[in-house]
Amino acid sequence: MTWSEMQPLLSQACWDTLYMVGWSTLIAVVVGLPLGVLLVLTDRGGLLQNAVVNKVIGQIVNIVRSMPFLILMVALMGFTRWVVGTTIGREAAIVPLAIGAIPFFARLVETSVREVDGGLVEAVQSMGGNTWTVVRKVLVPESLPSLISATTTTIIAIIGYSAMAGTVGAGGLGDLAIRYGYQRFEAELMWIIVAILAVVIALIQFAGDSGARVLHRRAGKGGEPLRFRAFAGLLPGAVTADATPAKTR
């Protein structure tokens, strides 16, 4: 197969992979972030301590996480058909990709949020902050660098899942590698796909690591003012650390 023949196939496959990974990541973050925070809040000693809710959510997360993705994808075929009307193609692949990534990301979020200093939570509560205020002002902002790293890890995992989804005709680079690289013995195309995936994953990891380092550096350079601004909204008449004094006449 010549390059002129491979180029349109690779272009379409890259777009399909980007489409699947992008939507799956968005769904995983939107659903997995509150789910991970809820696991922390309902745990023993949490602000919303509830052993039953915590155990039910934890067991569901563990069951989905324990299933190999190919088995999960086959098991969800009926649900996928009900949601998008088909089990083949990139739209159909988004359903199992998102469902498989949600518990994965939720556990990473749980780990990140647990690392937040409990003293900050107590400080907000002592100022009259409720649970939503603690989550919005402390838990999420303070764990943001770790959450970026968690998102990066999740994106890379979804890329791997999307390649496996190609075995059942989901489209993307995995599907192209199976149909041409494996079934038609196009070894050159197979190695090009491997190289593309390696470069994409390296770029995503670099971007995620850079973003997390920047946030860590900013927190370390000006951590006290940032935390002060987080609490400022709870104090009557409080001003932010970067506020300038009013001019006097």
Side-chain angles (χ1 to χ4, degrees):
M1 180 179 291
T2 64
W3 173 248
S4 60
E5 294 173 326
M6 288 189 290
Q7 188 175 7
L9 295 174
L10 288 170
S11 298
Q12 184 61 46
C14 288
W15 168 247
D16 289 344
T17 297
L18 179 63
Y19 181 87
M20 291 186 293
V21 172
W23 278 107
S24 300
T25 301
L26 178 62
I27 296 171
V29 171
V30 170
V31 179
L33 179 59
L35 190 62
V37 173
L38 188 60
L39 283 170
V40 176
L41 295 178
T42 57
D43 199 6
R44 182 180 301 175
L47 299 179
L48 300 175
Q49 180 175 332
N50 190 314
V52 176
V53 173
N54 185 268
K55 184 171 289 292
V56 170
I57 296 177
Q59 287 300 322
I60 294 174
V61 168
N62 290 338
I63 290 172
V64 178
R65 283 188 63 199
S66 65
M67 295 182 66
F69 180 70
L70 285 176
I71 296 177
L72 177 66
M73 189 165 49
V74 173
L76 290 174
M77 278 187 173
F79 179 72
T80 301
R81 185 180 291 107
W82 178 74
V83 173
V84 299
T86 181
T87 58
I88 299 175
R90 63 185 190 180
E91 284 78 15
I94 292 174
V95 176
L97 284 173
I99 292 177
I102 286 171
F104 180 83
F105 183 68
R107 283 301 186 190
L108 294 178
V109 171
E110 180 187 10
T111 302
S112 299
V113 172
R114 288 189 188 280
E115 295 175 355
V116 175
D117 186 0
L120 296 176
V121 176
E122 294 175 359
V124 172
Q125 288 181 301
S126 68
M127 295 177 188
N130 56 22
T131 302
W132 169 243
T133 302
V134 170
V135 172
R136 186 168 56 92
K137 295 285 189 178
V138 178
L139 296 183
V140 173
E142 289 293 322
S143 61
L144 192 56
S146 296
L147 291 177
I148 290 179
S149 298
T151 304
T152 302
T153 302
T154 302
I155 294 174
I156 293 174
I158 292 176
I159 292 175
Y161 292 163
S162 70
M164 287 188 284
T167 59
V168 293
L173 292 171
D175 177 63
L176 187 62
I178 294 295
R179 288 191 295 113
Y180 287 86
Y182 177 72
Q183 295 177 350
R184 302 188 184 184
F185 302 102
E186 295 286 350
E188 184 179 354
L189 179 61
M190 174 74 79
W191 285 112
I192 291 175
I193 293 172
V194 171
I196 291 174
L197 290 173
V199 171
V200 169
I201 289 174
L203 291 175
I204 292 173
Q205 188 68 60
F206 175 77
D209 291 345
S210 298
R213 280 197 297 269
V214 168
L215 289 176
H216 272 300
R217 197 175 299 121
R218 287 181 179 177
K221 189 175 181 180
E224 291 183 3
L226 286 174
R227 291 178 179 180
F228 179 82
R229 284 196 293 272
F231 301 146
L234 302 174
L235 298 173
V239 295
T240 57
D242 57 353
T244 55
K247 293 182 179 179
T248 58
R249 294 185 181 272

